[in-house]
Amino acid sequence: VRYPDRATWEADEYRHRVPSSSPYGWSDSKTIYGWELQNIRPLAKPIPVPRMRRAFRSFFALDMADGGANLETLKSHLGAPPQTNQGGSIPTINLSPFMHGTEEEQRQVVDAIAAQCEYIGFLRVTWDDFPTEIVAAAQDAARRMFECSPEEKQQWSKSGIKKVTDSYTSTGYRASGSTENNKNRESWSCTAPDYSPLEAAGSTSPRT
């Protein structure tokens, strides 16, 4: 669903549930879309949901008095046995067997990825010869950048850097409190200098 104007967006609030006062509400400078659900499967036994608080952007933490020891999840509700060998962390999937292993080893990797997508919603992966030194160097560079003075970082802000690609994400620094998503944190967003989603999609037409 593409919302053509503010009136249509606001009239549909009962469905998208975004109030007009929200920073994620209507904006004349961007196109807003909605996704309509085609199928809904209600649970025979509703699962009580604990109170949630925003921990980081789209990540929310559950406030539970018992630390979650008695929380019934969708996975356990459907009869899946709980995992007790991961210490409560996200399992790490090694992709190397999929790239170099037997057909059975490849199937096991696919099953593990499918399970994480179904029950967790995102992945944590590794593979043989994973470039840990590159990741460590990037983290060190980011740490040193954020340790610079506010005046220096402002020179690299999103408003101070000219956007030269058609990427949805512009490159630059955002100070704490500068946007709704930066209330209590600093951030840095970047794209590859030569990245062009138009070329990646095989199109040369401007995005509308």
Side-chain angles (χ1 to χ4, degrees):
V1 177
R2 179 182 181 275
Y3 290 98
D5 50 51
R6 180 188 296 272
T8 306
W9 166 259
E10 293 181 348
D12 210 27
E13 182 178 332
Y14 75 99
R15 292 203 300 171
H16 59 65
R17 312 300 294 175
V18 180
S20 57
S21 59
S22 170
Y24 301 104
W26 178 263
S27 172
D28 293 327
S29 62
K30 61 184 179 182
T31 303
I32 297 182
Y33 295 89
W35 285 261
E36 294 183 330
L37 299 179
Q38 297 296 323
N39 296 290
I40 300 175
R41 187 185 67 174
L43 297 174
K45 177 185 176 183
I47 300 175
V49 179
R51 189 175 71 87
M52 296 186 293
R53 55 183 169 81
R54 185 189 296 272
F56 175 73
R57 300 196 72 174
S58 299
F59 293 95
F60 291 82
L62 302 179
D63 290 330
M64 296 171 287
D66 60 359
N70 297 311
L71 176 65
E72 182 183 20
T73 65
L74 177 59
K75 186 174 181 180
S76 63
H77 187 85
L78 297 176
Q83 291 186 331
T84 58
N85 60 345
Q86 293 290 337
S89 63
I90 303 299
T92 301
I93 298 176
N94 190 338
L95 300 179
S96 297
F98 181 82
M99 296 182 281
H100 312 295
T102 65
E103 184 175 344
E104 173 61 22
E105 290 172 330
Q106 291 176 336
R107 185 189 63 80
Q108 292 176 355
V109 173
V110 171
D111 290 344
I113 291 175
Q116 285 210 28
C117 291
E118 182 177 0
Y119 296 122
I120 300 177
F122 56 91
L123 305 173
R124 184 167 68 179
V125 300
T126 188
W127 56 87
D128 294 344
D129 300 322
F130 181 82
T132 55
E133 67 282 356
I134 295 179
V135 175
Q139 292 175 339
D140 179 66
R143 187 177 301 107
R144 288 185 284 111
M145 187 277 292
F146 283 113
E147 289 175 350
C148 291
S149 68
E151 292 75 20
E152 290 178 294
K153 289 182 286 189
Q154 189 59 33
Q155 297 178 34
W156 316 319
S157 67
K158 286 179 176 285
S159 60
I161 298 179
K162 182 180 179 180
K163 188 169 179 287
V164 296
T165 72
D166 199 37
S167 167
Y168 288 96
T169 302
S170 57
T171 295
Y173 165 80
R174 278 180 173 168
S176 177
S178 59
T179 67
E180 178 69 18
N181 287 332
N182 285 65
K183 284 184 176 179
N184 301 302
R185 69 183 180 98
E186 299 175 285
S187 69
W188 171 270
S189 301
C190 63
T191 57
D194 57 351
Y195 173 75
S196 172
L198 294 177
E199 294 179 3
S203 172
T204 57
S205 301
R207 187 176 66 243
T208 56

